[in-house]
Amino acid sequence: MSCISFEQFSFQAKEAVEKELEQIINDLQAPEILKKSMQYSLQAGGKRIRPLLTFSVLAALGVDWKKGTKVAAAVEMIHTYSLIHDDLPSMDDDDLRRGKPTNHKVYGEAIAILAGDALLTHSFKVLSTLDRNRWTDAQILELITGLSESSGAEGMVGGQVADLLGENKQLTIEELEFIHTHKTGKLLAYSVDAGCILGNASDELRQKLKTFSYHLGLAFQIRDDILDEEGDQERIGKPVGSDLSNKKSTYPQLLTLEGAKEKLNYHINASNQMIQDIPGDTTFLKTITDLIATRDH
Amino acid sequence: MSCISFEQFSFQAKEAVEKELEQIINDLQAPEILKKSMQYSLQAGGKRIRPLLTFSVLAALGVDWKKGTKVAAAVEMIHTYSLIHDDLPSMDDDDLRRGKPTNHKVYGEAIAILAGDALLTHSFKVLSTLDRNRWTDAQILELITGLSESSGAEGMVGGQVADLLGENKQLTIEELEFIHTHKTGKLLAYSVDAGCILGNASDELRQKLKTFSYHLGLAFQIRDDILDEEGDQERIGKPVGSDLSNKKSTYPQLLTLEGAKEKLNYHINASNQMIQDIPGDTTFLKTITDLIATRDH
């Protein structure tokens, strides 16, 4: 049994990671406009799913989840930089993100690019300077390798390239899946794996949680595509149907809306099945999976 | 006495680092266009001053310089990403770099931004996966922290922001020096410091080499500004006078050409004086300093 409800946990977790992020940027000796631009996107709300995943794995492993706050902040910095760069005019050219003007709309393209670069760069220092009384050097190096792999050419950036190349093309389900497992899946999976690294999970457990992440990541994306088609613009913070107008392939488009919902259920069920195999208190992991299946923004 | 001439050393060093870079990109499981774009800028020539600095420090410390090849490659990846992003239309808007079309001119803006992101991200994996039979975990973590610090908001990116903010303004010498010590100085200094970390230099020696780097970095930039005013376009690979047309403050503009040359001499002399205090064979370090003072591109 968890001693706190998921709502309490989620509230505390968001607060902890947002406070940490604010502090990390405040501590930088850097031009004010750069810090403001970094802070603007870091504090623009967001569901903080990646931190919640890391923390939930720690909770399942019986480790005080707050110990993972800096690591969660580093992942959130990577996620945030990727949103800033994805929104740029030469990429998705989005004016709104979570209902607010995108970074380049407020700070201009040059500063937005540099704020992204700075967030990306500094996330590695956040990891490399983790408390070495609490974590071993080997754990820290494993965290750094994983963050780089999941967010670089072989992960998120590679997925974004595949996404761009796929515009205005009729993709197969396999091609669409490549995009999503790379563009969003690998960093989500890293958030789970980071919890395993910090909590000294066994290889067997780590493998199970990897399979869990794979299904959860795809479920997350399919739900995103469904929301883009039938969601409420005010809730999701961007125009409904923007994928279609951006000429991107989506699950509903390839499988029909009904087919996409079936596929979503399949991956949610697979995630839940994996969780059942995991020892420890998996309440939070289960709740996150349910939230992803039913989220409305 | 070095067993090889500086010319042989320089040739071998460039070859080693370029081969390493090629291999690093070839090994990536990533979309071909992304790898091509990364490779294009990495293999576009360049003086490889940062690798030469790391190698020269290793040579002075009596360490086989080839052992520093991966670290030098990581620094060159950071330097290369910064050139790709700096050349973008929303930044310096340059069409040519080293006499060749800039990355975004060949691959488009989106891929150029992502190639930069991927180079930046992967450089940290190059460090975090260094041979742990050769280097300690503590050395590797120190290398990662230093690379992040020198290239992020508190280093190179911060300098680039200050540079952008300083456009169309009359800067003071102090403001100009802030830009250059951050935009180029800190990564040059890191290249020297990385040699110290790998070669287990004493704190005292490290401090001396830090002072050396400071003067060398400023000398490098002042020489750059002088070349922009009186250099040969074919040699430097971009239009002469581009700083003026970009409305950037330069040393010759603030100090006159004569004054800039005096300041260059001051920093070159200070660098050379530091080298005299360093034990070991400093032939290569001395030669690089001379080259920076007199380079024509």
Side-chain angles (χ1 to χ4, degrees), chain A residues 28-30 81 85 90 110 117 120-121 125 128 145 148-149 151 153-154, chain B residues 28-30 81 85 90 110 117 120-121 124-125 128 145 148-149 151 153-154:
Chain A
L28 288 174
Q29 299 282 328
Y81 115 74
H85 281 192
S90 60
D117 292 344
L120 164 51
T121 308
K125 187 178 163 191
S128 71
T145 301
S148 173
E149 273 176 2
S151 63
E154 299 190 326
Chain B
L28 289 175
Q29 300 282 328
Y81 116 73
H85 282 191
S90 59
D117 292 345
L120 163 51
T121 308
F124 287 99
K125 186 177 165 191
S128 70
T145 301
S148 174
E149 273 176 2
S151 63
E154 299 190 324

PDB file of all heavy atoms in Angstrom, chain A residues 28-30 81 85 90 110 117 120-121 125 128 145 148-149 151 153-154, chain B residues 28-30 81 85 90 110 117 120-121 124-125 128 145 148-149 151 153-154:
ATOM      1  N   LEU A  28      22.126  29.385 -12.878  1.00  0.00           N
ATOM      2  CA  LEU A  28      23.039  29.572 -14.014  1.00  0.00           C
ATOM      3  C   LEU A  28      23.576  30.999 -14.074  1.00  0.00           C
ATOM      4  O   LEU A  28      22.825  31.965 -13.923  1.00  0.00           O
ATOM      5  CB  LEU A  28      22.315  29.272 -15.331  1.00  0.00           C
ATOM      6  CG  LEU A  28      21.980  27.814 -15.640  1.00  0.00           C
ATOM      7  CD1 LEU A  28      21.136  27.739 -16.912  1.00  0.00           C
ATOM      8  CD2 LEU A  28      23.255  26.997 -15.806  1.00  0.00           C
ATOM      9  N   GLN A  29      24.874  31.112 -14.338  1.00  0.00           N
ATOM     10  CA  GLN A  29      25.493  32.406 -14.617  1.00  0.00           C
ATOM     11  C   GLN A  29      25.412  32.611 -16.123  1.00  0.00           C
ATOM     12  O   GLN A  29      26.323  32.220 -16.857  1.00  0.00           O
ATOM     13  CB  GLN A  29      26.961  32.390 -14.189  1.00  0.00           C
ATOM     14  CG  GLN A  29      27.196  32.145 -12.724  1.00  0.00           C
ATOM     15  CD  GLN A  29      26.934  33.381 -11.892  1.00  0.00           C
ATOM     16  OE1 GLN A  29      27.151  34.492 -12.353  1.00  0.00           O
ATOM     17  NE2 GLN A  29      26.440  33.198 -10.673  1.00  0.00           N
ATOM     18  N   ALA A  30      24.320  33.199 -16.583  1.00  0.00           N
ATOM     19  CA  ALA A  30      24.113  33.311 -18.031  1.00  0.00           C
ATOM     20  C   ALA A  30      23.262  34.538 -18.331  1.00  0.00           C
ATOM     21  O   ALA A  30      22.596  35.074 -17.437  1.00  0.00           O
ATOM     22  CB  ALA A  30      23.421  32.047 -18.538  1.00  0.00           C
ATOM     23  N   TYR A  81      13.409  20.957 -24.338  1.00  0.00           N
ATOM     24  CA  TYR A  81      14.197  21.453 -25.477  1.00  0.00           C
ATOM     25  C   TYR A  81      13.615  20.902 -26.773  1.00  0.00           C
ATOM     26  O   TYR A  81      13.532  21.613 -27.784  1.00  0.00           O
ATOM     27  CB  TYR A  81      15.691  21.088 -25.331  1.00  0.00           C
ATOM     28  CG  TYR A  81      16.208  20.142 -26.392  1.00  0.00           C
ATOM     29  CD1 TYR A  81      16.440  20.584 -27.703  1.00  0.00           C
ATOM     30  CD2 TYR A  81      16.458  18.795 -26.122  1.00  0.00           C
ATOM     31  CE1 TYR A  81      16.884  19.702 -28.692  1.00  0.00           C
ATOM     32  CE2 TYR A  81      16.895  17.927 -27.082  1.00  0.00           C
ATOM     33  CZ  TYR A  81      17.115  18.380 -28.365  1.00  0.00           C
ATOM     34  OH  TYR A  81      17.548  17.518 -29.347  1.00  0.00           O
ATOM     35  N   HIS A  85      12.396  23.122 -30.081  1.00  0.00           N
ATOM     36  CA  HIS A  85      12.939  22.965 -31.438  1.00  0.00           C
ATOM     37  C   HIS A  85      11.869  22.439 -32.415  1.00  0.00           C
ATOM     38  O   HIS A  85      11.801  22.883 -33.556  1.00  0.00           O
ATOM     39  CB  HIS A  85      14.174  22.054 -31.416  1.00  0.00           C
ATOM     40  CG  HIS A  85      15.416  22.762 -30.945  1.00  0.00           C
ATOM     41  ND1 HIS A  85      16.692  22.234 -31.065  1.00  0.00           N
ATOM     42  CD2 HIS A  85      15.595  23.974 -30.353  1.00  0.00           C
ATOM     43  CE1 HIS A  85      17.580  23.081 -30.563  1.00  0.00           C
ATOM     44  NE2 HIS A  85      16.936  24.131 -30.116  1.00  0.00           N
ATOM     45  N   SER A  90      10.816  26.236 -39.096  1.00  0.00           N
ATOM     46  CA  SER A  90      11.339  25.290 -40.087  1.00  0.00           C
ATOM     47  C   SER A  90      10.967  23.841 -39.758  1.00  0.00           C
ATOM     48  O   SER A  90      11.208  22.947 -40.559  1.00  0.00           O
ATOM     49  CB  SER A  90      12.858  25.418 -40.181  1.00  0.00           C
ATOM     50  OG  SER A  90      13.450  25.129 -38.930  1.00  0.00           O
ATOM     51  N   ALA A 110      16.097  32.818 -32.834  1.00  0.00           N
ATOM     52  CA  ALA A 110      17.492  32.608 -32.429  1.00  0.00           C
ATOM     53  C   ALA A 110      17.575  32.211 -30.959  1.00  0.00           C
ATOM     54  O   ALA A 110      18.219  31.214 -30.599  1.00  0.00           O
ATOM     55  CB  ALA A 110      18.318  33.869 -32.696  1.00  0.00           C
ATOM     56  N   ASP A 117      19.255  24.477 -27.078  1.00  0.00           N
ATOM     57  CA  ASP A 117      20.631  23.971 -26.988  1.00  0.00           C
ATOM     58  C   ASP A 117      21.131  23.983 -25.546  1.00  0.00           C
ATOM     59  O   ASP A 117      21.799  23.041 -25.095  1.00  0.00           O
ATOM     60  CB  ASP A 117      21.570  24.839 -27.840  1.00  0.00           C
ATOM     61  CG  ASP A 117      21.301  24.710 -29.337  1.00  0.00           C
ATOM     62  OD1 ASP A 117      20.611  23.746 -29.749  1.00  0.00           O
ATOM     63  OD2 ASP A 117      21.783  25.565 -30.103  1.00  0.00           O
ATOM     64  N   LEU A 120      19.402  21.266 -23.410  1.00  0.00           N
ATOM     65  CA  LEU A 120      19.985  19.970 -23.786  1.00  0.00           C
ATOM     66  C   LEU A 120      21.370  19.797 -23.162  1.00  0.00           C
ATOM     67  O   LEU A 120      21.655  18.794 -22.504  1.00  0.00           O
ATOM     68  CB  LEU A 120      20.045  19.909 -25.327  1.00  0.00           C
ATOM     69  CG  LEU A 120      20.909  18.871 -26.034  1.00  0.00           C
ATOM     70  CD1 LEU A 120      20.653  17.473 -25.511  1.00  0.00           C
ATOM     71  CD2 LEU A 120      20.636  18.907 -27.543  1.00  0.00           C
ATOM     72  N   THR A 121      22.203  20.795 -23.324  1.00  0.00           N
ATOM     73  CA  THR A 121      23.574  20.711 -22.820  1.00  0.00           C
ATOM     74  C   THR A 121      23.611  20.585 -21.303  1.00  0.00           C
ATOM     75  O   THR A 121      24.350  19.763 -20.750  1.00  0.00           O
ATOM     76  CB  THR A 121      24.366  21.969 -23.235  1.00  0.00           C
ATOM     77  OG1 THR A 121      24.223  22.158 -24.647  1.00  0.00           O
ATOM     78  CG2 THR A 121      25.835  21.830 -22.884  1.00  0.00           C
ATOM     79  N   LYS A 125      24.969  18.023 -17.411  1.00  0.00           N
ATOM     80  CA  LYS A 125      25.673  18.435 -16.199  1.00  0.00           C
ATOM     81  C   LYS A 125      24.841  18.119 -14.948  1.00  0.00           C
ATOM     82  O   LYS A 125      25.387  17.767 -13.907  1.00  0.00           O
ATOM     83  CB  LYS A 125      26.026  19.918 -16.228  1.00  0.00           C
ATOM     84  CG  LYS A 125      26.908  20.291 -15.046  1.00  0.00           C
ATOM     85  CD  LYS A 125      27.347  21.716 -15.006  1.00  0.00           C
ATOM     86  CE  LYS A 125      27.851  22.047 -13.606  1.00  0.00           C
ATOM     87  NZ  LYS A 125      28.063  23.490 -13.434  1.00  0.00           N
ATOM     88  N   SER A 128      25.765  14.610 -14.445  1.00  0.00           N
ATOM     89  CA  SER A 128      27.176  14.325 -14.106  1.00  0.00           C
ATOM     90  C   SER A 128      27.563  14.866 -12.740  1.00  0.00           C
ATOM     91  O   SER A 128      28.586  14.463 -12.187  1.00  0.00           O
ATOM     92  CB  SER A 128      28.119  14.863 -15.190  1.00  0.00           C
ATOM     93  OG  SER A 128      28.170  16.276 -15.159  1.00  0.00           O
ATOM     94  N   THR A 145      24.700   7.779 -20.388  1.00  0.00           N
ATOM     95  CA  THR A 145      24.681   7.028 -21.649  1.00  0.00           C
ATOM     96  C   THR A 145      23.237   6.833 -22.123  1.00  0.00           C
ATOM     97  O   THR A 145      22.925   7.055 -23.299  1.00  0.00           O
ATOM     98  CB  THR A 145      25.352   5.650 -21.452  1.00  0.00           C
ATOM     99  OG1 THR A 145      26.704   5.865 -21.021  1.00  0.00           O
ATOM    100  CG2 THR A 145      25.359   4.852 -22.752  1.00  0.00           C
ATOM    101  N   SER A 148      21.637  10.105 -23.442  1.00  0.00           N
ATOM    102  CA  SER A 148      22.153  10.464 -24.767  1.00  0.00           C
ATOM    103  C   SER A 148      21.571   9.551 -25.844  1.00  0.00           C
ATOM    104  O   SER A 148      21.096  10.021 -26.885  1.00  0.00           O
ATOM    105  CB  SER A 148      23.684  10.391 -24.750  1.00  0.00           C
ATOM    106  OG  SER A 148      24.191  10.566 -26.045  1.00  0.00           O
ATOM    107  N   GLU A 149      21.566   8.250 -25.593  1.00  0.00           N
ATOM    108  CA  GLU A 149      21.029   7.296 -26.579  1.00  0.00           C
ATOM    109  C   GLU A 149      19.562   7.551 -26.883  1.00  0.00           C
ATOM    110  O   GLU A 149      19.144   7.542 -28.037  1.00  0.00           O
ATOM    111  CB  GLU A 149      21.158   5.868 -26.031  1.00  0.00           C
ATOM    112  CG  GLU A 149      22.479   5.220 -26.327  1.00  0.00           C
ATOM    113  CD  GLU A 149      22.583   3.842 -25.658  1.00  0.00           C
ATOM    114  OE1 GLU A 149      21.617   3.395 -25.018  1.00  0.00           O
ATOM    115  OE2 GLU A 149      23.647   3.238 -25.778  1.00  0.00           O
ATOM    116  N   SER A 151      17.778  10.182 -26.514  1.00  0.00           N
ATOM    117  CA  SER A 151      17.356  11.492 -27.029  1.00  0.00           C
ATOM    118  C   SER A 151      18.109  11.918 -28.286  1.00  0.00           C
ATOM    119  O   SER A 151      17.749  12.929 -28.889  1.00  0.00           O
ATOM    120  CB  SER A 151      17.509  12.559 -25.935  1.00  0.00           C
ATOM    121  OG  SER A 151      18.852  12.705 -25.572  1.00  0.00           O
ATOM    122  N   ALA A 153      20.506  10.827 -32.071  1.00  0.00           N
ATOM    123  CA  ALA A 153      20.253  10.336 -33.433  1.00  0.00           C
ATOM    124  C   ALA A 153      19.589   8.966 -33.427  1.00  0.00           C
ATOM    125  O   ALA A 153      18.786   8.651 -34.304  1.00  0.00           O
ATOM    126  CB  ALA A 153      21.569  10.280 -34.212  1.00  0.00           C
ATOM    127  N   GLU A 154      19.904   8.149 -32.446  1.00  0.00           N
ATOM    128  CA  GLU A 154      19.323   6.804 -32.399  1.00  0.00           C
ATOM    129  C   GLU A 154      17.998   6.779 -31.639  1.00  0.00           C
ATOM    130  O   GLU A 154      17.387   5.722 -31.499  1.00  0.00           O
ATOM    131  CB  GLU A 154      20.322   5.838 -31.746  1.00  0.00           C
ATOM    132  CG  GLU A 154      21.606   5.755 -32.541  1.00  0.00           C
ATOM    133  CD  GLU A 154      22.529   4.630 -32.082  1.00  0.00           C
ATOM    134  OE1 GLU A 154      22.561   4.344 -30.869  1.00  0.00           O
ATOM    135  OE2 GLU A 154      23.211   4.051 -32.934  1.00  0.00           O
TER     136      GLU A 154
ATOM    137  N   LEU B  28      26.173   4.909 -36.118  1.00  0.00           N
ATOM    138  CA  LEU B  28      24.829   5.255 -35.624  1.00  0.00           C
ATOM    139  C   LEU B  28      23.736   4.541 -36.402  1.00  0.00           C
ATOM    140  O   LEU B  28      23.780   4.465 -37.627  1.00  0.00           O
ATOM    141  CB  LEU B  28      24.603   6.772 -35.744  1.00  0.00           C
ATOM    142  CG  LEU B  28      25.362   7.684 -34.798  1.00  0.00           C
ATOM    143  CD1 LEU B  28      25.108   9.145 -35.164  1.00  0.00           C
ATOM    144  CD2 LEU B  28      24.952   7.430 -33.355  1.00  0.00           C
ATOM    145  N   GLN B  29      22.760   4.018 -35.677  1.00  0.00           N
ATOM    146  CA  GLN B  29      21.537   3.476 -36.285  1.00  0.00           C
ATOM    147  C   GLN B  29      20.549   4.631 -36.370  1.00  0.00           C
ATOM    148  O   GLN B  29      19.769   4.856 -35.455  1.00  0.00           O
ATOM    149  CB  GLN B  29      20.960   2.366 -35.393  1.00  0.00           C
ATOM    150  CG  GLN B  29      21.865   1.189 -35.164  1.00  0.00           C
ATOM    151  CD  GLN B  29      21.884   0.250 -36.358  1.00  0.00           C
ATOM    152  OE1 GLN B  29      20.891   0.110 -37.046  1.00  0.00           O
ATOM    153  NE2 GLN B  29      23.021  -0.371 -36.624  1.00  0.00           N
ATOM    154  N   ALA B  30      20.599   5.354 -37.486  1.00  0.00           N
ATOM    155  CA  ALA B  30      19.776   6.570 -37.591  1.00  0.00           C
ATOM    156  C   ALA B  30      19.442   6.829 -39.056  1.00  0.00           C
ATOM    157  O   ALA B  30      20.105   6.289 -39.954  1.00  0.00           O
ATOM    158  CB  ALA B  30      20.530   7.753 -36.993  1.00  0.00           C
ATOM    159  N   TYR B  81      28.588  21.306 -34.129  1.00  0.00           N
ATOM    160  CA  TYR B  81      27.154  21.629 -33.954  1.00  0.00           C
ATOM    161  C   TYR B  81      26.971  23.128 -33.795  1.00  0.00           C
ATOM    162  O   TYR B  81      26.021  23.719 -34.329  1.00  0.00           O
ATOM    163  CB  TYR B  81      26.559  20.869 -32.751  1.00  0.00           C
ATOM    164  CG  TYR B  81      26.080  21.739 -31.625  1.00  0.00           C
ATOM    165  CD1 TYR B  81      24.899  22.492 -31.745  1.00  0.00           C
ATOM    166  CD2 TYR B  81      26.807  21.871 -30.442  1.00  0.00           C
ATOM    167  CE1 TYR B  81      24.485  23.342 -30.721  1.00  0.00           C
ATOM    168  CE2 TYR B  81      26.399  22.702 -29.426  1.00  0.00           C
ATOM    169  CZ  TYR B  81      25.236  23.436 -29.565  1.00  0.00           C
ATOM    170  OH  TYR B  81      24.831  24.291 -28.568  1.00  0.00           O
ATOM    171  N   HIS B  85      24.488  25.583 -36.071  1.00  0.00           N
ATOM    172  CA  HIS B  85      23.421  26.428 -35.526  1.00  0.00           C
ATOM    173  C   HIS B  85      23.722  27.916 -35.716  1.00  0.00           C
ATOM    174  O   HIS B  85      22.818  28.693 -36.014  1.00  0.00           O
ATOM    175  CB  HIS B  85      23.165  26.087 -34.052  1.00  0.00           C
ATOM    176  CG  HIS B  85      22.357  24.821 -33.848  1.00  0.00           C
ATOM    177  ND1 HIS B  85      21.817  24.448 -32.639  1.00  0.00           N
ATOM    178  CD2 HIS B  85      21.993  23.839 -34.727  1.00  0.00           C
ATOM    179  CE1 HIS B  85      21.157  23.288 -32.772  1.00  0.00           C
ATOM    180  NE2 HIS B  85      21.269  22.906 -34.024  1.00  0.00           N
ATOM    181  N   SER B  90      18.197  32.371 -38.852  1.00  0.00           N
ATOM    182  CA  SER B  90      17.767  33.208 -37.728  1.00  0.00           C
ATOM    183  C   SER B  90      18.943  33.642 -36.854  1.00  0.00           C
ATOM    184  O   SER B  90      18.769  34.462 -35.951  1.00  0.00           O
ATOM    185  CB  SER B  90      16.750  32.459 -36.869  1.00  0.00           C
ATOM    186  OG  SER B  90      17.315  31.271 -36.377  1.00  0.00           O
ATOM    187  N   ALA B 110      15.546  22.470 -41.174  1.00  0.00           N
ATOM    188  CA  ALA B 110      15.090  21.507 -40.161  1.00  0.00           C
ATOM    189  C   ALA B 110      16.162  20.444 -39.899  1.00  0.00           C
ATOM    190  O   ALA B 110      16.528  20.176 -38.749  1.00  0.00           O
ATOM    191  CB  ALA B 110      13.783  20.854 -40.601  1.00  0.00           C
ATOM    192  N   ASP B 117      21.615  19.204 -33.074  1.00  0.00           N
ATOM    193  CA  ASP B 117      21.123  18.597 -31.827  1.00  0.00           C
ATOM    194  C   ASP B 117      21.723  17.202 -31.630  1.00  0.00           C
ATOM    195  O   ASP B 117      22.100  16.831 -30.517  1.00  0.00           O
ATOM    196  CB  ASP B 117      19.593  18.470 -31.874  1.00  0.00           C
ATOM    197  CG  ASP B 117      18.888  19.819 -31.830  1.00  0.00           C
ATOM    198  OD1 ASP B 117      19.539  20.815 -31.479  1.00  0.00           O
ATOM    199  OD2 ASP B 117      17.688  19.869 -32.161  1.00  0.00           O
ATOM    200  N   LEU B 120      25.467  17.370 -30.725  1.00  0.00           N
ATOM    201  CA  LEU B 120      25.574  17.811 -29.329  1.00  0.00           C
ATOM    202  C   LEU B 120      25.243  16.656 -28.378  1.00  0.00           C
ATOM    203  O   LEU B 120      25.999  16.343 -27.456  1.00  0.00           O
ATOM    204  CB  LEU B 120      24.620  19.001 -29.136  1.00  0.00           C
ATOM    205  CG  LEU B 120      24.206  19.455 -27.744  1.00  0.00           C
ATOM    206  CD1 LEU B 120      25.406  19.661 -26.851  1.00  0.00           C
ATOM    207  CD2 LEU B 120      23.399  20.748 -27.830  1.00  0.00           C
ATOM    208  N   THR B 121      24.122  15.999 -28.627  1.00  0.00           N
ATOM    209  CA  THR B 121      23.675  14.925 -27.741  1.00  0.00           C
ATOM    210  C   THR B 121      24.661  13.756 -27.727  1.00  0.00           C
ATOM    211  O   THR B 121      24.999  13.225 -26.667  1.00  0.00           O
ATOM    212  CB  THR B 121      22.296  14.403 -28.213  1.00  0.00           C
ATOM    213  OG1 THR B 121      21.404  15.508 -28.355  1.00  0.00           O
ATOM    214  CG2 THR B 121      21.718  13.404 -27.224  1.00  0.00           C
ATOM    215  N   PHE B 124      28.105  13.541 -25.702  1.00  0.00           N
ATOM    216  CA  PHE B 124      28.131  13.107 -24.301  1.00  0.00           C
ATOM    217  C   PHE B 124      28.200  11.584 -24.186  1.00  0.00           C
ATOM    218  O   PHE B 124      28.814  11.062 -23.255  1.00  0.00           O
ATOM    219  CB  PHE B 124      26.935  13.686 -23.545  1.00  0.00           C
ATOM    220  CG  PHE B 124      27.097  15.160 -23.284  1.00  0.00           C
ATOM    221  CD1 PHE B 124      26.473  16.108 -24.090  1.00  0.00           C
ATOM    222  CD2 PHE B 124      27.914  15.603 -22.260  1.00  0.00           C
ATOM    223  CE1 PHE B 124      26.653  17.465 -23.871  1.00  0.00           C
ATOM    224  CE2 PHE B 124      28.108  16.961 -22.024  1.00  0.00           C
ATOM    225  CZ  PHE B 124      27.470  17.898 -22.836  1.00  0.00           C
ATOM    226  N   LYS B 125      27.606  10.889 -25.157  1.00  0.00           N
ATOM    227  CA  LYS B 125      27.736   9.430 -25.126  1.00  0.00           C
ATOM    228  C   LYS B 125      29.166   9.001 -25.483  1.00  0.00           C
ATOM    229  O   LYS B 125      29.678   8.015 -24.949  1.00  0.00           O
ATOM    230  CB  LYS B 125      26.726   8.762 -26.056  1.00  0.00           C
ATOM    231  CG  LYS B 125      26.772   7.243 -25.902  1.00  0.00           C
ATOM    232  CD  LYS B 125      25.781   6.490 -26.726  1.00  0.00           C
ATOM    233  CE  LYS B 125      26.168   5.022 -26.761  1.00  0.00           C
ATOM    234  NZ  LYS B 125      25.411   4.259 -27.756  1.00  0.00           N
ATOM    235  N   SER B 128      30.757   9.321 -22.188  1.00  0.00           N
ATOM    236  CA  SER B 128      30.280   8.421 -21.117  1.00  0.00           C
ATOM    237  C   SER B 128      30.617   6.959 -21.404  1.00  0.00           C
ATOM    238  O   SER B 128      30.571   6.130 -20.496  1.00  0.00           O
ATOM    239  CB  SER B 128      28.771   8.586 -20.895  1.00  0.00           C
ATOM    240  OG  SER B 128      28.026   8.065 -21.974  1.00  0.00           O
ATOM    241  N   THR B 145      31.233  16.868 -17.111  1.00  0.00           N
ATOM    242  CA  THR B 145      30.869  18.129 -16.450  1.00  0.00           C
ATOM    243  C   THR B 145      31.528  19.314 -17.156  1.00  0.00           C
ATOM    244  O   THR B 145      30.879  20.322 -17.447  1.00  0.00           O
ATOM    245  CB  THR B 145      31.300  18.103 -14.965  1.00  0.00           C
ATOM    246  OG1 THR B 145      30.662  16.996 -14.323  1.00  0.00           O
ATOM    247  CG2 THR B 145      30.923  19.390 -14.247  1.00  0.00           C
ATOM    248  N   SER B 148      29.949  20.066 -20.620  1.00  0.00           N
ATOM    249  CA  SER B 148      28.641  20.703 -20.489  1.00  0.00           C
ATOM    250  C   SER B 148      28.782  22.166 -20.058  1.00  0.00           C
ATOM    251  O   SER B 148      28.184  23.062 -20.650  1.00  0.00           O
ATOM    252  CB  SER B 148      27.784  19.920 -19.488  1.00  0.00           C
ATOM    253  OG  SER B 148      26.587  20.600 -19.248  1.00  0.00           O
ATOM    254  N   GLU B 149      29.614  22.399 -19.064  1.00  0.00           N
ATOM    255  CA  GLU B 149      29.821  23.774 -18.572  1.00  0.00           C
ATOM    256  C   GLU B 149      30.359  24.694 -19.655  1.00  0.00           C
ATOM    257  O   GLU B 149      29.905  25.815 -19.831  1.00  0.00           O
ATOM    258  CB  GLU B 149      30.833  23.771 -17.422  1.00  0.00           C
ATOM    259  CG  GLU B 149      30.214  23.530 -16.075  1.00  0.00           C
ATOM    260  CD  GLU B 149      31.270  23.435 -14.974  1.00  0.00           C
ATOM    261  OE1 GLU B 149      32.491  23.591 -15.272  1.00  0.00           O
ATOM    262  OE2 GLU B 149      30.879  23.184 -13.839  1.00  0.00           O
ATOM    263  N   SER B 151      30.260  24.450 -22.867  1.00  0.00           N
ATOM    264  CA  SER B 151      29.506  24.617 -24.108  1.00  0.00           C
ATOM    265  C   SER B 151      28.056  25.060 -23.896  1.00  0.00           C
ATOM    266  O   SER B 151      27.372  25.366 -24.862  1.00  0.00           O
ATOM    267  CB  SER B 151      29.544  23.319 -24.918  1.00  0.00           C
ATOM    268  OG  SER B 151      28.913  22.265 -24.234  1.00  0.00           O
ATOM    269  N   ALA B 153      24.877  27.137 -21.290  1.00  0.00           N
ATOM    270  CA  ALA B 153      24.438  28.501 -20.979  1.00  0.00           C
ATOM    271  C   ALA B 153      25.548  29.327 -20.320  1.00  0.00           C
ATOM    272  O   ALA B 153      25.639  30.536 -20.521  1.00  0.00           O
ATOM    273  CB  ALA B 153      23.222  28.457 -20.055  1.00  0.00           C
ATOM    274  N   GLU B 154      26.404  28.660 -19.541  1.00  0.00           N
ATOM    275  CA  GLU B 154      27.484  29.391 -18.854  1.00  0.00           C
ATOM    276  C   GLU B 154      28.741  29.503 -19.705  1.00  0.00           C
ATOM    277  O   GLU B 154      29.742  30.063 -19.281  1.00  0.00           O
ATOM    278  CB  GLU B 154      27.794  28.687 -17.517  1.00  0.00           C
ATOM    279  CG  GLU B 154      26.590  28.673 -16.598  1.00  0.00           C
ATOM    280  CD  GLU B 154      26.908  28.219 -15.182  1.00  0.00           C
ATOM    281  OE1 GLU B 154      27.772  27.328 -15.025  1.00  0.00           O
ATOM    282  OE2 GLU B 154      26.289  28.756 -14.248  1.00  0.00           O
TER     283      GLU B 154
END
